[in-house]
């Protein structure tokens, strides 16, 4: 498994660079309107931040191939999470993404008996297919833009995952996401239903001593467009609680996404991740820097 | 003599009951070129008008929309992304009909006298990218007019679905 994962990750990160290089002479980037491709979700594809959306990453329309790279940093009371990766959007129809997440327990690692700075690493490979609707143009109908997708996640700490009751060190999430821009109200709404076994999105493995079955979870975002460049809003993401040693909470955030220009955007959020691995009330800052093309 | 003949023809056409088409040709404003006959109708504007005039007022009425339509066209005909598409366009006509269309869809009480969206943009090969470039030029023109961002989006909400008629499949 290791090799294909690494190859795919490298491919997803390098392809964007190659494409950018090839089209640099044309002096044009993308054809989408600002922020209509969403921002990068924590799991790599286009989304709002914690939630995955039904839009396809990158600035390209159905006539091109675009994409987005991101570096994301979350700093809550007892942990930090670093994520980086990229997504390629083919003809505004298909999205392939690869993301690496490092969940750093820092000083908390010692208290958990794992050792200071113990870090769980997770690789996520995603594929998304847009199936109907257009989030931006379909302003005369209620139909949102709908996409289906899957995320293959693999965790590098199988032994610890098993020690805390996790059943698997890899797993696949399946989701349906629906996203709609409501221009008449200057709102953007998105909701997704995800079938998952993941503990803390997979950072603590998949399935647990309490349950090893797929459960349907909801994730949603609502934002208001304050200018062409700025969207502010909030998100909610429900999660299963499969592990006996520590209950798992739903996640939420309040975010602001700002497009500095067509290429670079920043998301900043206040996140509440609830209890994580017995440490309570994990709240703090989420910052993500993105480059789209 | 020539004049008389054309009047006679006009009378005959009117009598045949295609008054709409004949009228459209007859009433070409002085700075515009004639176009092939068509039947003018507000249905050609491709969107139902807003029920109230609140947003229309945020655009500073018909005068504001006339400035915005002119600003949109002036930007688009020099925009390297899309200017080639406008190479042979009758600019005064486009500015006039766009202002009418915006006024009509915002519930400003104007009539739209231009052609329908599907047939006028047919065979132009307009892409999503071109469409979005035009939207950006419109956003710039609305900003210059000082239209609040929320009201700008309310006009865009009326125009966005026209992508299905304007963009070539
Ligand atoms: C929602 C977007 C659009 C609206 C509301 C719109 C509206 C109009 C209107 C009202 C006319 C004049 C009709 C007439 O002369 O009777 C027109 C003509 C034209 N439009 Fe558009 N248009 C849109 C998008 C575009 C785009 C994206 C392009 C190309 C980039 C474009 C290129 C043209 C051209 C070249 C003409 C002149 C046609 C001719 O001279 O025969 N339009 N459009």
């Amino acid at each position: 498994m290791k090799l294909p994962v690494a190859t795919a990750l490298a491919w997803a990160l390098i392809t964007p660079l190659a494409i950018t290089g090839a089209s640099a002479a044309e002096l044009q980037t993308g054809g989408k309107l600002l922020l209509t491709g969403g921002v990068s979700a924590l799991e790599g594809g286009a989304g709002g931040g914690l939630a995955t959306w039904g839009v396809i990453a990158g600035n390209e329309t159905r006539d091109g191939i675009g994409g987005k790279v991101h570096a994301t940093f979350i700093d809550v009371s007892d942990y930090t999470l670093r994520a980086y990766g990229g997504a390629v959007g083919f003809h505004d129809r298909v999205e392939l993404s690869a993301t690496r997440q490092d969940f750093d327990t820092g000083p908390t690692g010692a208290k958990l008996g794992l050792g200071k700075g113990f870090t769980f690493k997770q690789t996520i490979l995603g594929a998304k297919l847009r199936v109907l609707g257009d989030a931006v143009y379909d302003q005369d109908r209620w139909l949102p833009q709908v996409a289906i997708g899957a995320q293959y996640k693999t965790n590098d700490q199988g032994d610890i995952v098993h020690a805390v009751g996790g059943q698997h060190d890899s797993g696949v999430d399946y989701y349906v996401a629906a996203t709609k821009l409501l221009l008449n109200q200057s709102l953007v709404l998105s909701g997704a239903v995800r079938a998952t076994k993941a503990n803390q999105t997979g950072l603590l493995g998949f399935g647990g001593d309490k349950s090893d079955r797929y459960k349907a979870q909801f994730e949603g975002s609502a934002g208001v467009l304050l200018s062409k460049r700025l969207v502010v809003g909030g998100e909610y993401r429900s999660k299963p609680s499969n592990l006996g040693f520590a209950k798992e909470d739903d996640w939420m955030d309040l975010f602001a996404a700002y497009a500095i220009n067509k290429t670079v955007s920043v998301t900043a959020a206040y996140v509440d991740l609830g209890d994580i691995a017995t440490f309570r009330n994990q709240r703090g800052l989420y910052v993500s820097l993105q480059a789209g093309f | 003599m020539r004049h008389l003949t054309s009047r006679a023809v006009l009378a005959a056409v009117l009598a045949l009951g295609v008054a709409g088409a004949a009228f459209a040709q007859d009433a070409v404003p002085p700075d515009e070129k004639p176009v092939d006959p068509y039947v003018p109708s507000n249905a050609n504007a491709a969107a139902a008008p807003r029920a109230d005039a609140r947003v229309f007022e945020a655009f500073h009425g018909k005068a504001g929309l006339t400035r915005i339509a002119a600003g949109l066209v002036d930007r688009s005909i020099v925009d390297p992304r899309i200017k080639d598409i406008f190479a042979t366009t009758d600019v005064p006509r486009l500015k006039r009909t766009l202002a009418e269309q915006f006024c009509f869809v915002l519930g400003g009480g104007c009539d739209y006298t231009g052609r329908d969206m599907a047939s006028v943009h047919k065979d132009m090969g307009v892409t999503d990218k071109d469409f979005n470039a035009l939207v950006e030029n419109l956003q710039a023109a609305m900003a210059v007019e000082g239209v609040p961002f929320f009201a700008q989006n309310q006009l865009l909400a009326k125009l966005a679905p026209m992508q299905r008629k304007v963009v070539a499949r």
Side-chain angles (χ1 to χ4, degrees):
Chain A
M1 210 60 236
K2 277 255 147 50
L3 193 66
V5 169
T7 317
L9 184 63
W11 170 82
L13 290 174
I14 282 157
T15 315
L17 301 176
I19 294 164
T20 318
S23 61
E26 293 162 33
L27 269 170
Q28 279 185 33
T29 46
K32 275 189 199 165
L33 296 165
L34 280 179
L35 291 172
T36 56
V39 296
S40 295
L42 189 59
E43 280 146 314
L50 297 180
T52 289
W53 288 7
V55 296
I56 301 295
N59 298 343
E60 271 302 340
T61 64
R62 68 182 136 162
D63 302 313
I65 300 172
K68 193 158 232 175
V69 290
H70 72 101
T72 302
F73 182 73
I74 304 181
D75 189 23
V76 289
S77 324
D78 299 295
Y79 306 99
T80 57
L81 178 68
R82 294 176 295 273
Y84 46 94
V88 182
F90 298 88
H91 302 281
D92 206 19
R93 173 66 60 188
V94 172
E95 175 191 284
L96 297 178
S97 60
T99 282
R100 175 62 172 266
Q101 296 179 338
D102 291 357
F103 179 60
D104 192 338
T105 60
T108 311
K111 297 179 205 160
L112 286 167
L114 296 170
K116 186 170 181 294
F118 183 89
T119 300
F120 292 88
K121 295 186 176 126
Q122 174 172 237
T123 301
I124 304 172
L125 300 179
K128 188 195 284 181
L129 174 70
R130 172 180 173 182
V131 288
L132 67 142
D134 189 295
V136 181
Y137 298 129
D138 285 350
Q139 295 298 315
D140 54 346
R141 30 178 109 152
W142 276 101
L143 184 74
Q145 178 166 327
V146 180
I148 55 173
Q151 291 169 342
Y152 169 79
K153 304 173 171 186
T154 176
N155 189 304
D156 77 333
Q157 294 294 350
D159 292 348
I160 309 290
V161 163
H162 291 295
V164 298
Q167 304 297 302
H168 319 275
D169 55 8
S170 68
V172 182
D173 286 359
Y174 303 92
Y175 64 84
V176 181
T179 302
K180 184 90 186 169
L181 186 62
L182 295 171
L183 277 172
N184 205 35
Q185 288 76 24
S186 289
L187 292 176
V188 58
L189 300 178
S190 190
V193 175
R194 178 188 295 265
T196 183
K197 289 185 181 187
N199 309 318
Q200 301 293 3
T201 76
L203 293 165
L204 297 182
F206 304 84
D209 47 334
K210 277 165 63 187
S211 167
D212 187 25
R213 283 207 306 274
Y214 272 103
K215 292 201 185 72
Q217 303 294 327
F218 172 79
E219 57 205 62
S221 317
V224 52
L225 285 67
L226 293 182
S227 81
K228 269 191 306 190
R229 303 180 179 283
L230 181 65
V231 182
V232 300
E235 295 188 294
Y236 187 86
R237 178 165 177 170
S238 76
K239 308 203 341 296
S241 188
N242 300 325
L243 297 175
F245 91 104
K247 84 170 166 61
E248 180 169 340
D249 285 326
D250 295 348
W251 285 359
M252 54 200 97
D253 73 53
L254 294 172
F255 72 86
Y258 186 78
I260 295 169
N261 52 40
K262 278 219 163 163
T263 308
V264 183
S265 58
V266 206
T267 312
Y270 172 79
V271 290
D272 181 348
L273 307 183
D275 297 358
I276 298 182
T278 73
F279 280 76
R280 300 182 62 81
N281 298 327
Q282 299 302 310
R283 299 181 188 134
L285 189 68
Y286 173 116
V287 185
S288 181
L289 186 67
Q290 295 141 21
F293 51 90
Chain B
M1 187 61 204
R2 250 188 113 84
H3 195 65
L4 269 177
T5 318
S6 67
R7 279 192 168 223
V9 169
L10 180 61
V13 169
L14 281 169
L16 283 170
V18 280
F23 176 76
Q25 266 182 317
D26 205 36
V28 178
D31 56 342
E32 296 181 16
K33 298 182 203 86
V35 297
D36 290 341
Y38 64 96
V39 182
S41 158
N42 282 332
N44 291 348
R50 287 185 66 90
D52 64 285
R54 198 172 36 83
V55 180
F56 176 68
E57 278 146 27
F59 278 79
H60 311 139
K62 182 69 195 293
L65 289 167
T66 301
R67 287 187 290 270
I68 290 167
L72 162 62
V73 173
D74 289 340
R75 283 166 200 274
S76 296
I77 59 180
V78 297
D79 182 337
R81 298 174 295 181
I82 53 176
K83 68 174 169 39
D84 291 349
I85 304 177
F86 293 94
T88 61
T89 299
D90 181 345
V91 168
R93 177 183 169 90
L94 182 56
K95 289 180 177 177
R96 175 178 64 81
T97 49
L98 272 173
E100 287 173 3
Q101 187 185 24
F102 294 170
C103 175
F104 173 76
V105 302
L106 291 183
C110 306
D111 283 320
Y112 174 66
T113 67
R115 291 166 287 182
D116 78 277
M117 291 297 100
S119 59
V120 81
H121 297 100
K122 185 165 67 73
D123 304 328
M124 280 185 197
V126 174
T127 64
D128 280 341
K129 201 167 173 166
D130 300 332
F131 188 92
N132 294 345
L134 186 119
V135 170
E136 287 173 1
N137 294 338
L138 174 58
Q139 287 178 315
M142 292 188 292
V144 168
E145 181 64 27
V147 178
F149 180 68
F150 283 30
Q152 292 184 20
N153 287 342
Q154 288 171 317
L155 177 57
L156 296 183
K158 286 288 183 193
L159 305 184
M162 297 178 195
Q163 178 263 3
R164 298 195 293 264
K165 296 194 156 93
V166 170
V167 171
R169 296 282 127 174

